[in-house]
Amino acid sequence: MLVVTTIKELQQALSPYLSDNQTIGFVPTMGALHAGHQSLFSVARDHHDVVVVSIFVNPLQFGPGEDYETYPRQQALDEQVARESGCDVLFCPTVGEMYPDGFPQVVHVKQGADVMCGRSRPGHFDGVATVVLKLFSVVQPNEAFFGEKDAQQLAIIKQLVKEFFLPITVTGCPTVREEDGLARSSRNVYLTAEERRYAPLLYKALQKAQASGKRDPSILVADVKATLASIPVGEIDYVEAYEYPSLKKVNEANALIIVAFAYQFKKARLIDHIVMDFNNRGETPCSEQ
Amino acid sequence: MLVVTTIKELQQALSPYLSDNQTIGFVPTMGALHAGHQSLFSVARDHHDVVVVSIFVNPLQFGPGEDYETYPRQQALDEQVARESGCDVLFCPTVGEMYPDGFPQVVHVKQGADVMCGRSRPGHFDGVATVVLKLFSVVQPNEAFFGEKDAQQLAIIKQLVKEFFLPITVTGCPTVREEDGLARSSRNVYLTAEERRYAPLLYKALQKAQASGKRDPSILVADVKATLASIPVGEIDYVEAYEYPSLKKVNEANALIIVAFAYQFKKARLIDHIVMDFNNRGETPCSEQ
């Protein structure tokens, strides 16, 4: 596995593959790699000649007071994980490499960013879309892989690719969970021992709402809120339900519905969701069990 | 010359050139083609195997109350001009083709868009950058040509290409003028006979300021304002001076300085500028004489 830090090195590394018409699978990450990332590397490995992984903690997607400075960084360990996962090229640019002139022009997400995490984190998805567009431009992958866990991010990146006519397939991969149901996240390391004991209730709240067979989004939201409110540590950031992937108000009975939340523990703000297909007797379409 | 209206047709038309490693020169326009555009076609023709021209009156770069509806449209005539200029492919998409989902995500220009035309036309350069990024994505040119007349636009598009790491050279070409000095513009057709008689004073105002040998931007601006104020029809929108191409406040003696204005006649809002190289005894570096 080749580790590169500049765009020039990256493009030199990829150039022989491109001229040989080999396909590139790309997994952009912020590092602190875990089993969720590894599942993306594995799918990319299965489908492409070359697997490119990027590790870049993107300052533009963190707001004031968020955890940009303390976001877990573990370069040596991440390199080992990427290597053992069969990645070919690991791209670890500096902030100056990705933003040589600061932020003179950005992608502004006008639709789908005013709800859920977009409301809690103003500008977050502008930062995500901007850096993903830059990374797509330098890597020029055939296919890019993202976790379904970040459902709003996935919807916005699919829209980004459609909007700017990028010749890239964006593929979402199922959320990887701990045995007790907690979604894998780089931020789980922030949890205290006590918080970790309660954390499985996050996903249980969603499962319980889904199992109720109820179909009214506001009732589903209320049910999830009721379960989350029983956790004695931390607090609810939001619980919301929308059509997916439009992230618009639910207005048809036969639609995909996302019920999603963010929950703020002392240091870790965790998100999770379920997508329900009301056209399909409440079963989930996205392998999220 | 092939005339296409969909992205699919465009890409089918370009595909054989691409697989043959031929180079693409691209001139994006809003139609109402005149000698200024023809000079761009000619440079593109001289330097590339394939010349692609687009005609698209981009709704996103017009504000409320601006002339989107009445902007001159003359498809048949434009086709003839493009054909006679040796263009190979003319791309004339509909609004629905370029914006299939409306404007869910746009490029937001945060630097260089708060002055000059950007201040008079809020959101204008977001619209320009967004459509140019889309057009670059579907055409994938090696080089794109823009008139230096739209100096702020040119600076912002050069920044766009740098910012999103696009493998495209952006080339500015000198302003083409009428014999009396009036810069060629699609909006000149809006001028009344009386306005047209006074219009040469626009460029004369710039020439006079330049010839004065003065180097203080605020004095140059005042001189241009004084000349423009002598025109008995229409009114000054702005006269401003900045470093070019940064469009930041002038803070070094040895810098390129742009002195630019917009002048509002009854229907036609016209712009013009000069760039002065204070490092080079006041001569212009951009062939704008």
Side-chain angles (χ1 to χ4, degrees):
Chain A
M1 185 181 76
L2 196 62
V3 182
V4 296
T5 58
T6 68
I7 292 165
K8 197 175 167 189
E9 289 171 312
L10 174 71
Q11 293 183 328
Q12 279 170 352
L14 295 178
S15 149
Y17 299 113
L18 286 170
S19 50
D20 199 29
N21 274 324
Q22 298 203 37
T23 67
I24 298 177
F26 176 43
V27 185
T29 81
M30 297 212 301
L33 302 177
H34 53 65
H37 298 107
Q38 287 175 292
S39 77
L40 304 177
F41 303 157
S42 170
V43 180
R45 181 73 285 163
D46 287 347
H47 291 85
H48 293 280
D49 301 316
V50 193
V51 176
V52 178
V53 171
S54 65
I55 295 181
F56 180 64
V57 184
N58 173 31
L60 194 57
Q61 71 189 70
F62 290 80
E66 290 185 4
D67 58 348
Y68 173 64
E69 296 300 335
T70 58
Y71 194 85
R73 287 163 172 89
Q74 47 179 52
Q75 181 69 20
L77 193 54
D78 283 348
E79 279 191 35
Q80 192 184 328
V81 171
R83 187 174 285 113
E84 288 171 359
S85 302
C87 302
D88 299 294
V89 179
L90 181 63
F91 176 47
C92 307
T94 61
V95 172
E97 186 74 10
M98 294 305 290
Y99 297 104
D101 296 330
F103 314 114
Q105 300 188 10
V106 302
V107 178
H108 177 42
V109 180
K110 297 174 74 174
Q111 234 174 63
D114 53 346
V115 298
M116 293 168 49
C117 289
R119 184 149 50 194
S120 301
R121 307 182 68 187
H124 169 67
F125 288 111
D126 288 6
V128 170
T130 300
V131 80
V132 168
L133 185 59
K134 284 172 176 254
L135 288 167
F136 282 178
S137 184
V138 295
V139 176
Q140 295 193 265
N142 299 81
E143 187 171 8
F145 300 86
F146 294 84
E148 284 176 353
K149 171 173 166 282
D150 299 318
Q152 188 172 13
Q153 169 176 282
L154 180 59
I156 284 168
I157 289 169
K158 284 190 171 180
Q159 183 71 55
L160 174 79
V161 162
K162 187 176 178 206
E163 202 52 28
F164 291 104
F165 307 114
L166 307 179
I168 299 170
T169 303
V170 173
T171 300
C173 298
T175 302
V176 175
R177 299 182 179 281
E178 306 283 359
E179 283 195 11
D180 58 18
L182 177 63
R184 296 297 304 253
S185 163
S186 300
R187 290 186 171 96
N188 290 352
V189 298
Y190 294 144
L191 293 171
T192 65
E194 186 191 17
E195 288 172 342
R196 181 63 189 83
R197 281 198 300 278
Y198 286 108
L201 281 173
L202 299 179
Y203 187 49
K204 289 217 167 63
L206 296 167
Q207 289 179 299
K208 197 175 152 194
Q210 182 173 30
S212 72
K214 294 171 188 168
R215 297 171 70 117
D216 181 323
S218 59
I219 293 178
L220 291 166
V221 164
D223 283 1
V224 171
K225 278 187 179 165
T227 310
L228 295 182
S230 73
I231 302 177
V233 285
E235 57 185 18
I236 295 170
D237 178 350
Y238 69 81
V239 183
E240 297 174 19
Y242 299 98
E243 273 194 346
Y244 193 79
S246 73
L247 301 178
K248 290 181 180 164
K249 199 166 171 296
V250 178
N251 56 17
E252 289 176 58
N254 299 331
L256 290 187
I257 306 298
I258 185 169
V259 181
F261 66 77
Y263 192 89
Q264 182 69 58
F265 287 108
K266 190 168 180 203
K267 280 179 150 181
R269 180 180 172 281
L270 302 184
I271 61 173
D272 205 348
H273 72 278
I274 43 170
V275 176
M276 289 186 263
D277 185 351
F278 281 178
N279 206 16
N280 193 22
R281 294 162 187 263
E283 287 164 33
T284 69
C286 297
S287 339
E288 278 141 323
Q289 58 280 332
Chain B
M1 185 183 74
L2 197 63
V3 182
V4 297
T5 59
T6 68
I7 292 165
K8 198 175 166 185
E9 287 171 312
L10 173 72
Q11 293 184 327
Q12 279 170 352
L14 295 178
S15 149
Y17 300 113
L18 286 171
S19 50
D20 199 26
N21 275 325
Q22 299 204 35
T23 67
I24 297 177
F26 177 43
V27 185
T29 82
M30 298 212 301
L33 302 178
H34 54 65
H37 299 105
Q38 286 175 294
S39 77
L40 304 177
F41 304 158
S42 169
V43 180
R45 179 74 285 161
D46 286 347
H47 291 85
H48 293 280
D49 301 316
V50 193
V51 175
V52 178
V53 171
S54 64
I55 295 179
F56 181 63
V57 183
N58 173 31
L60 193 59
Q61 71 190 69
F62 289 81
E66 290 185 2
D67 57 349
Y68 174 64
E69 297 300 336
T70 58
Y71 194 85
R73 288 165 173 88
Q74 48 180 50
Q75 181 69 21
L77 192 54
D78 283 348
E79 279 190 36
Q80 192 186 326
V81 172
R83 187 174 286 109
E84 288 171 359
S85 303
C87 303
D88 298 295
V89 179
L90 181 64
F91 177 47
C92 307
T94 61
V95 171
E97 187 73 10
M98 293 306 291
Y99 296 105
D101 295 331
F103 313 114
Q105 301 188 10
V106 301
V107 178
H108 176 42
V109 180
K110 296 174 75 176
Q111 236 174 61
D114 54 346
V115 297
M116 292 167 48
C117 289
R119 185 151 48 195
S120 301
R121 306 182 67 186
H124 169 68
F125 288 111
D126 288 7
V128 169
T130 301
V131 81
V132 167
L133 185 59
K134 284 172 177 253
L135 288 167
F136 282 177
S137 183
V138 296
V139 175
Q140 295 192 263
N142 300 81
E143 187 171 8
F145 300 86
F146 294 85
E148 284 176 353
K149 173 174 165 280
D150 300 317
Q152 188 171 14
Q153 170 176 282
L154 180 59
I156 285 168
I157 289 169
K158 283 189 172 179
Q159 183 71 56
L160 174 80
V161 161
K162 186 176 180 206
E163 201 53 27
F164 291 105
F165 308 113
L166 307 180
I168 299 171
T169 303
V170 172
T171 299
C173 298
T175 302
V176 175
R177 300 183 179 280
E178 305 284 359
E179 283 194 12
D180 58 16
L182 177 64
R184 295 296 306 252
S185 163
S186 300
R187 290 188 170 96
N188 290 352
V189 298
Y190 295 146
L191 294 171
T192 65
E194 186 190 17
E195 289 172 341
R196 182 65 189 82
R197 280 197 300 278
Y198 286 108
L201 281 173
L202 299 179
Y203 186 49
K204 289 216 168 61
L206 296 167
Q207 288 179 301
K208 198 175 152 195
Q210 183 173 29
S212 72
K214 295 171 187 167
R215 297 170 70 116
D216 180 324
S218 59
I219 294 179
L220 290 165
V221 164
D223 283 0
V224 170
K225 278 188 179 163
T227 310
L228 295 181
S230 73
I231 303 178
V233 286
E235 58 185 18
I236 294 170
D237 179 349
Y238 69 80
V239 183
E240 297 174 20
Y242 299 99
E243 274 194 344
Y244 192 80
S246 73
L247 301 178
K248 289 181 181 165
K249 199 167 170 300
V250 178
N251 57 18
E252 289 175 59
N254 299 332
L256 289 188
I257 306 296
I258 185 169
V259 181
F261 66 76
Y263 193 89
Q264 182 69 58
F265 287 108
K266 189 166 181 204
K267 279 179 151 181
R269 180 179 172 283
L270 301 185
I271 61 174
D272 206 346
H273 72 280
I274 44 170
V275 175
M276 289 186 263
D277 185 351
F278 280 178
N279 208 14
N280 193 21
R281 295 161 187 264
E283 287 164 31
T284 68
C286 294
S287 339
E288 279 142 324
Q289 53 277 338

